């Protein structure tokens, strides 16, 4: 084989999108409180009384009643309902 015929194949890891920094904003709505979370890496718990999200810095849990995830796209999630508390857990 000549030098041109020898090709070294390298294994490339799957491309991972860079993680966004976590941001949280809230606003009042006709159904209670609306929370916009940016930098979400995944949904861990989904129910009408608790929604827990994974972020680069840990977990964020939203607890209350009649919770609804209105949108979840590109690392952004919006939760609305009667929010009782928002809990943060590092790690």
């Amino acid at each position: 084989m000549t030098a041109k015929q020898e090709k070294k194949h390298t294994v490339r890891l799957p491309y991972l999108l860079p993680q966004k920094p976590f941001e949280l904003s809230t606003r009042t709505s006709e159904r209670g409180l609306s929370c916009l979370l940016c930098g979400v890496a995944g949904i861990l718990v989904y129910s009408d009384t608790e929604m827990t999200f994974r972020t680069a810095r840990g977990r964020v849990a939203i607890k209350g009643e009649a919770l609804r995830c209105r949108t979840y796209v590109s690392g952004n999630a919006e939760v609305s309902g009667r929010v009782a508390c928002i809990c943060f857990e590092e790690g």
Side-chain angles (χ1 to χ4, degrees), residues 14-46:
Y15 179 74
L16 299 174
L17 293 173
Q19 292 183 339
K20 296 179 184 178
F22 178 74
E23 294 179 35
L24 172 71
S25 63
T26 60
R27 66 175 181 222
T28 57
S29 70
E30 63 278 354
R31 292 192 174 122
L33 195 65
S34 177
C35 301
L36 177 62
L37 299 93
C38 300
V40 173
I43 299 174
L44 301 172
V45 177
Y46 188 100

Side-chain angles (χ1 to χ4, degrees), residues 77-89:
E78 183 179 3
V79 177
S80 65
R82 291 189 298 276
V83 175
C85 71
I86 301 172
C87 306
F88 299 91
E89 180 183 320

Side-chain angles (χ1 to χ4, degrees), residues 1-73:
M1 282 189 165
T2 66
K4 281 188 175 181
Q5 290 174 334
E6 289 181 30
K7 288 187 177 180
K8 292 187 178 181
H9 296 283
T10 58
V11 177
R12 293 183 183 205
L13 297 175
Y15 179 74
L16 299 174
L17 293 173
Q19 292 183 339
K20 296 179 184 178
F22 178 74
E23 294 179 35
L24 172 71
S25 63
T26 60
R27 66 175 181 222
T28 57
S29 70
E30 63 278 354
R31 292 192 174 122
L33 195 65
S34 177
C35 301
L36 177 62
L37 299 93
C38 300
V40 173
I43 299 174
L44 301 172
V45 177
Y46 188 100
S47 74
D48 62 344
T49 58
E50 179 182 352
M51 293 199 186
T52 303
F53 300 93
R54 182 169 39 93
T55 71
R57 300 287 306 258
R59 296 178 181 191
V60 177
I62 299 174
K63 299 178 183 182
E65 295 178 3
L67 298 179
R68 194 174 111 201
C69 187
R70 296 174 48 99
T71 185
Y72 177 59
V73 63

